[in-house]
Every structure is written in C-alpha cells, then in structure tokens.
Amino acid sequence: MIVLVLTWLGIGCWAICFWWMHRISSRQESMLTELREMTQRIERLSEAEHELIRDVHPQVGEIKEHVETVKEAVSPEKN
C-alpha cells in the first residue's frame, strides 16, 4: 500500500514538475519574441539614423567651407 501511494505521489510530482517547466519555457519564449521585436525596431531606427547622417555629412563639409570664407572676409587682420 505504501509503495502504491509513493508511486502516485512521485507521478504527481513529475506532473507538477513538467507543468512548471512548460510554464517557464513559455515565458522565456514570449520574452525572446519580445526581445527579437525590440532588436528589429532598434535596427530600423539605426538604419534611419545612418541615412540621416549620410544625408547631413556632405552638408557639414559645405558649411565648414562657407564658415571659412565668411571668417576670412570678416577677419580684422584683413583690413
């Protein structure tokens, strides 16, 4: 009789353990899915930022050239 009770108790413990592991696994899977979506959003933002920097970069060089010409025209040493 004791053996039968312990056997059923062991089976019940295994069932609880498998349920608990399944629960943990599903939580991990949902977290990984959320993390994957977040990294995709970050990659899209990074690409957009890279495009903006690429658009602005040539303009920065032109602005520096214009600042130099204005600086030369306005400098008091030229007078």
Side-chain angles (χ1 to χ4, degrees), residues 40-77:
Q40 289 173 350
R41 286 193 305 263
I42 290 171
E43 285 178 8
R44 283 194 302 268
L45 285 173
S46 178
E47 289 172 3
E49 181 184 25
H50 186 69
E51 289 295 321
L52 286 173
I53 289 173
R54 188 180 301 156
D55 290 342
V56 171
H57 181 68
Q59 295 174 359
V60 170
E62 293 174 12
I63 291 172
K64 285 183 180 179
E65 290 174 8
H66 291 299
V67 167
E68 289 297 322
T69 57
V70 170
K71 181 180 171 184
E72 291 173 5
V74 181
S75 87
E77 296 173 359

